[in-house]
Amino acid sequence: MNQFLSRRTFILIPTMSILKIIFNPMQVLASSLPSKEEWNLSKDEWKARLSPESYYILREEGTERAFSSQLNNEKRKGIFYCAGCDLPLFSSDKKFDSGTGWPSFWDSIPGSVETKVDFKLIVPRTEYHCSRCGGHQGHVFNDGPLPTGKRYCNNGLALRFVPD
Ligand SMILES: [Zn+2]
């Protein structure tokens, strides 16, 4: 058993190192590129627009602490906007309680988010970001409820909620 484990580790570690080297250029980009030139702001311009906490999430692909966002328990009808550029991203009728501690949705407003694969935790995850300003929102998983089966796990600090 031990021998098997050590052999596995022996193979796994170099493989992951190689993967990290191959995918490293993706991590050099602090965040995704905006689709619109007017949202191609400098670091300082973003820092002036955003709180330090939101800057860390949106522009450096950070993650807020679980259960830290008031939006986690937000149950009113309304729209969740990108905290970076105010693009409408999610509607309250697609929100559900995932129990994870982050605001969760089973679908986004069509065209509002784009995805890319990230390897920050070595295991590939599907990152998604605002399609207009490129601001990081969260990760999408395939264990959500029907009809989509998707779970958009969003940082509350990356959103601004406006009730109807
Ligand atoms: Zn945006």
Side-chain angles (χ1 to χ4, degrees), residues 16-82:
M16 283 182 170
S17 306
I18 290 163
L19 277 176
K20 275 205 96 161
I21 291 163
I22 292 169
F23 290 101
N24 216 27
M26 296 176 72
Q27 297 183 331
V28 171
L29 284 173
S31 62
S32 302
L33 296 171
S35 63
K36 298 269 190 299
E37 190 54 38
E38 71 220 63
W39 287 103
N40 198 6
L41 307 184
S42 70
K43 270 186 172 188
D44 286 344
E45 286 172 314
W46 278 118
K47 282 185 175 165
R49 275 183 73 88
L50 303 168
S51 70
E53 294 80 12
S54 292
Y55 179 89
Y56 168 65
I57 307 287
L58 286 160
R59 309 310 310 172
E60 296 185 333
E61 298 196 6
T63 301
E64 72 196 13
R65 242 176 344 104
F67 299 101
S68 63
S69 172
Q70 290 189 345
L71 294 184
N72 201 33
N73 294 319
E74 180 58 67
K75 292 192 168 60
R76 290 174 291 174
K77 281 191 180 302
I79 298 294
F80 295 83
Y81 294 83
C82 171

Side-chain angles (χ1 to χ4, degrees), residues 39 46 58-59 81-87 89 112 129-137 158:
W39 287 103
W46 278 118
L58 286 160
R59 309 310 310 172
Y81 294 83
C82 171
C85 75
D86 274 339
L87 185 72
L89 303 183
S112 68
H129 48 270
C130 169
S131 66
R132 185 161 68 180
C133 72
H136 171 68
Q137 293 291 327

